[in-house]
Amino acid sequence: MSTAGPPPPVPIPGARLLFSLDPGVAHLNHGSYGAVPIGVQRAQQRLRDETEANPMRFFNRGLVDRITHARRHLARFLGADPDGTALIGNVTIGAAVVLQSVGLEPGDEVLCTDHGYGSFALSIDREARRTGAVRRTLTVPLTATDEEVVEIVRAGIRPGRTKLLVVDQLTSSTARLFPAAAIAAVARERDVPVLVDGAHAPGMLPVPVDSLGADFWIGNLHKWCFAPRGTAALVVAPRWRSRMEPLAVSWEEESGFPKRVEWQATLDYTPWLAAPVGVFTLRTLGLDRVRAHNAELAAYGQRVVGRALGIAPADLIEPGGPTVSMRLLPLPAGIGTTFPDAIALRQRIGDELGAEVAVNPWRERGWLRLSGQIYNRADEYDRLAERLPALLATLG
């Protein structure tokens, strides 16, 4: 099969052996749930064993300090202020914390874009029902330039009404890279706080969090940082830290942010304590090397699968640009245009083709999202390209 472009990157030797993934499946959707290296799994299991050997000792003798140490290590990796960073379970939890802390009132609006993650919209709507605020959504074309995106946001902000602006750093459904720093600067001019959803940023994007200038930033470390699932970070600008309210009150309530948000009694803290091992693994492999490999491999997958779907290389959409490890392909018209249909198609691809991918509906069209990670090989995308058209043909 002609790849209609440059070859995929040379595999990183031994990388696949670092994971316990089923070798009979092509795992082409790292972006959704990540994959935890075996060494990180073992580190977390040792912590679980420590917990169960003496729960009283584990929870009551130095655990808060151990969490603080892990947080400081992870915050430095993210380029964030450790004293303004709280470890949380995932970005959706972080969004809920921010939404209930900014003080929404009747008549206020939370402004977002139509590229935002679905659970964020649900979180905003729930808080809006509780407070009398509203959610307003800006339409941003998939192929808009950064300058056009900034102008859309600038025109959409309504001073005096817009209480919070929510913007993605890298979108989940459309793999679109947004000019988050420029958007945050526009919002600051109008004194509107900004929440940046950086779910896919840690480990993939070489952008220090503090350089974005956001009031709030949240990101998952279990996707591209090899941390155990249930590890994320909420970074808060100094002027907001005293106002951050946890979802549930704990014994660290009087300690202030970040401990009052982090400490949730008998939560399983082993993912956070093991997360630095994931960062160590990433750095040992070579951070720049991994990023370049993954982005090139995702681009290769987009080319070969796109060619199989009849999409010429010149027509491929790259909303994230060349440095992003996720790529997008439009599905034939009428396929995967609703969430139930997208889920059904994703499951059929997994069951019948032995490939795990992401399928999302967006603007009344179905989209296939492919990821690239160090455990992937070029032939996995080749096999998907060979077999996917026949499966799609059965859907009309």
Side-chain angles (χ1 to χ4, degrees):
M1 170 183 286
S2 172
T3 62
V10 176
I12 296 176
R16 193 174 182 88
L17 299 177
L18 297 175
F19 301 86
S20 54
L21 293 165
D22 182 352
V25 176
H27 301 273
L28 308 180
N29 185 24
H30 186 88
S32 283
Y33 300 106
V36 183
I38 294 171
V40 182
Q41 294 179 41
R42 290 175 176 169
Q44 185 182 12
Q45 187 57 52
R46 288 193 293 270
L47 289 162
R48 288 174 174 146
D49 293 342
E50 179 187 348
T51 305
E52 299 309 323
N54 190 332
M56 282 291 292
R57 176 183 293 274
F58 181 81
F59 281 99
N60 292 300
R61 301 182 193 177
L63 179 55
V64 172
D65 291 338
R66 293 172 73 177
I67 294 171
T68 299
H69 178 75
R71 181 219 312 147
R72 291 188 175 280
H73 181 94
L74 297 171
R76 284 193 292 268
F77 174 78
L78 295 172
D81 178 3
D83 294 329
T85 302
L87 297 180
I88 52 177
N90 54 53
V91 296
T92 306
I93 293 174
V97 170
V98 172
L99 286 167
Q100 75 166 19
S101 300
V102 294
L104 294 176
E105 298 177 349
D108 290 339
E109 66 177 23
V110 178
L111 189 63
C112 57
T113 79
D114 60 349
H115 294 252
Y117 193 58
S119 70
F120 267 54
L122 294 173
S123 295
I124 294 170
D125 289 345
R126 186 185 71 171
E127 194 66 17
R129 288 192 300 270
R130 191 180 71 83
T131 61
V134 296
R135 170 171 63 92
R136 190 160 62 88
T137 303
L138 299 175
T139 299
V140 177
L142 185 60
T143 57
T145 65
D146 285 354
E147 292 76 14
E148 290 170 339
V149 174
V150 171
E151 287 309 311
I152 289 171
V153 174
R154 188 193 306 274
I157 293 175
R158 298 194 286 198
R161 291 199 59 185
T162 305
K163 191 64 172 283
L164 179 68
L165 171 63
V166 180
V167 64
D168 294 76
Q169 194 170 356
L170 176 63
T171 67
S172 178
S173 295
T174 58
R176 162 82 208 215
L177 188 64
F178 270 67
I183 291 173
V186 167
R188 278 198 306 275
E189 294 172 359
R190 288 156 174 75
D191 198 29
V192 173
V194 178
L195 166 61
V196 173
D197 175 5
H200 290 275
M204 186 201 298
L205 303 180
V207 180
V209 170
D210 283 350
S211 71
L212 296 175
D215 297 85
F216 314 99
W217 177 95
I218 41 182
N220 288 322
L221 285 89
H222 69 255
K223 292 181 182 288
W224 303 93
C225 276
F226 298 153
R229 293 171 198 87
T231 307
L234 165 62
V235 182
V236 179
R239 71 185 181 114
W240 288 98
R241 293 172 190 173
S242 64
R243 297 173 58 178
M244 302 310 294
E245 297 285 349
L247 299 184
V249 174
S250 74
W251 284 107
E252 289 297 325
E253 172 67 15
E254 301 303 322
S255 298
F257 185 85
K259 290 180 180 179
R260 71 190 305 187
V261 170
E262 287 177 332
W263 184 255
Q264 294 292 302
T266 52
L267 188 74
D268 181 5
Y269 299 101
T270 62
W272 302 354
L273 300 181
V277 182
V279 172
F280 174 80
T281 303
L282 189 56
R283 282 177 161 157
T284 300
L285 291 166
L287 186 54
D288 292 339
R289 179 190 187 192
V290 169
R291 285 171 172 157
H293 171 277
N294 293 349
E296 292 173 18
L297 191 58
Y300 174 83
Q302 184 191 41
R303 289 196 303 271
V304 296
V305 177
R307 181 180 179 88
L309 298 180
I311 305 172
D315 295 329
L316 293 174
I317 301 173
E318 299 182 11
T323 63
V324 168
S325 304
M326 300 190 301
R327 292 299 180 104
L328 201 65
L329 287 165
L331 292 168
I335 294 178
T337 58
T338 67
F339 278 106
D341 288 347
I343 292 171
L345 176 57
R346 183 192 70 205
Q347 292 175 345
R348 284 195 63 185
I349 293 173
D351 295 341
E352 300 176 29
L353 307 187
E356 297 294 346
V357 300
V359 180
N360 295 300
W362 188 73
R363 289 196 186 172
E364 300 181 351
R365 179 140 200 183
W367 298 84
L368 177 73
R369 194 192 72 194
L370 299 172
S371 297
Q373 187 50 270
I374 58 173
Y375 51 73
N376 292 128
R377 301 187 306 268
D379 64 288
E380 295 175 316
Y381 303 93
D382 295 338
R383 286 197 301 272
L384 177 63
E386 291 168 0
R387 304 176 64 190
L388 181 60
L391 187 152
L392 296 180
T394 67
L395 303 176

